[in-house]
Amino acid sequence: MTFASLGNQLKNTLNQRFSPREIHSIHYRFLESVCNVSIAEIIANPKRPLSASEAAQIIALETKLLEGVPLQYALGNALFYGLKLKCSPAALIPRPETEELVAWVLSNSVLSEETVMDIGTGTGIIPISLKKLHPNWSLFGLDISKNALRLASNNAQKLNAAIQFVNENIFAYESTKNFDIIISNPPYIPREECLNLDESVRTFEPILALEVPDEDPLLFYKAILTFSLKHLTKNGCLYLEIHQNFGEEMLKLVSPHFANCTLK
């Protein structure tokens, strides 16, 4: 089997579960991870044969995908903002929407030194991304899950990013610090809606990081707002990733407390 013939094989075996575009991406991600090659090397060497060990690893990855395991969990890593981080069911897989959230923070920040808290840090990729681009910033990541924080700490160490992680519950946490920026992508999917999520999400990703009660879907945002009103600096900013259906409700929640509120 060669780099090129693997692509044809994946089209045949994965076409019932993935689109052609997704299979194309999976092809490259498999080879990058298993053979430790770049996309440029894959394109330049289509006839490069796979060793028996490499072929066996790729077959095992194919099997995981056919069983519904998300690609990032199968590989054990995910790509985010140009960084490769360790990924496991201890935390949600980072999504492109969260990259947009990070980009928004970066586009609005003008100070050379900022103190930033990420609430519900998961893999730790939000504070890690910010730290890599702004080494002078002080970054904190909070999560209630010890398993998630172990994963986040591992990512920070491997990516050489100094982050202070806090194992606390946002509903009870009292910090001794104030922050220029508070950022969060908390659980926001109502329980009933969670029942209709893709099976791979429901089966493999941590429900703790996804689900909120149907009767109080803004539960976490209320706690984050309470914390922010106590711990944001005078001109501090609060950035939140939210459910697309609750934009107006979120504006009603936060606008009485902030002079400038933007919904993107």
Side-chain angles (χ1 to χ4, degrees):
M1 187 186 302
T2 65
F3 283 179
S5 65
L6 172 64
N8 293 327
Q9 175 183 308
L10 293 176
K11 289 176 186 176
N12 292 329
T13 57
L14 301 180
N15 64 351
Q16 295 299 313
R17 184 176 285 273
F18 300 97
S19 70
R21 183 175 180 178
E22 289 172 326
I23 293 172
H24 183 71
S25 176
I26 290 167
H27 178 207
Y28 283 160
R29 293 284 281 121
F30 274 10
L31 291 174
E32 284 179 306
S33 292
V34 172
C35 303
N36 195 29
V37 292
S38 67
I39 292 177
E41 289 174 302
I42 296 168
I43 294 171
N45 300 284
K47 295 183 180 180
R48 195 275 222 184
L50 297 174
S51 69
S53 173
E54 290 168 343
Q57 290 179 67
I58 286 174
I59 290 171
L61 289 171
E62 279 185 78
T63 300
K64 287 184 178 181
L65 294 193
L66 290 170
E67 291 171 349
V69 178
L71 174 64
Q72 294 86 346
Y73 289 163
L75 293 173
N77 64 72
L79 303 177
F80 185 97
Y81 228 82
L83 300 172
K84 181 183 284 188
L85 66 146
K86 187 175 180 181
C87 199
S88 81
L92 288 180
I93 297 167
R95 263 64 173 190
E97 295 83 0
T98 306
E99 288 185 302
E100 295 173 11
L101 185 63
V102 169
W104 191 13
V105 172
L106 292 169
S107 67
N108 285 351
S109 299
V110 295
L111 299 179
S112 59
E113 295 185 11
E114 303 266 22
T115 301
V116 183
M117 168 63 85
D118 174 36
I119 297 171
T121 198
T123 61
I125 197 57
I126 290 178
I128 291 170
S129 299
L130 295 174
K131 185 68 174 180
K132 296 298 288 184
L133 292 167
H134 289 283
N136 291 333
W137 287 14
S138 296
L139 276 298
F140 295 79
L142 178 147
D143 209 291
I144 193 173
S145 168
K146 291 182 179 179
N147 289 336
L149 286 182
R150 276 193 285 269
L151 177 63
S153 296
N154 183 276
N155 280 325
Q157 183 177 5
K158 287 191 173 182
L159 292 168
N160 195 29
I163 313 294
Q164 297 184 54
F165 291 109
V166 182
N167 184 208
E168 290 284 354
N169 185 337
I170 189 57
F171 293 95
Y173 179 51
E174 288 294 338
S175 175
T176 59
K177 296 182 178 293
N178 289 331
F179 304 94
D180 302 303
I181 295 171
I182 294 175
I183 183 169
S184 184
N185 175 24
Y188 58 66
I189 303 177
R191 186 169 293 121
E192 185 174 354
E193 187 178 334
C194 279
L195 298 175
N196 297 316
L197 291 174
D198 185 88
E199 184 179 354
S200 67
V201 175
R202 288 186 286 109
T203 303
F204 296 99
E205 299 204 51
I207 197 67
L208 179 71
L210 290 167
E211 188 179 270
V212 290
D214 293 329
E215 64 275 11
D216 193 6
L218 304 186
L219 175 69
F220 283 89
Y221 297 104
K222 294 173 184 176
I224 293 166
L225 177 60
T226 298
F227 179 86
S228 299
L229 294 176
K230 292 180 181 179
H231 295 290
L232 269 177
T233 55
K234 182 178 179 181
N235 296 310
C237 296
L238 173 63
Y239 294 88
L240 300 168
E241 186 170 330
I242 68 171
H243 193 296
Q244 62 182 0
N245 293 343
F246 297 124
E248 292 304 316
E249 290 87 344
M250 282 299 303
L251 284 177
K252 289 179 183 178
L253 179 66
V254 301
S255 59
H257 307 284
F258 292 90
N260 297 303
C261 296
T262 302
L263 185 65
K264 284 196 174 186

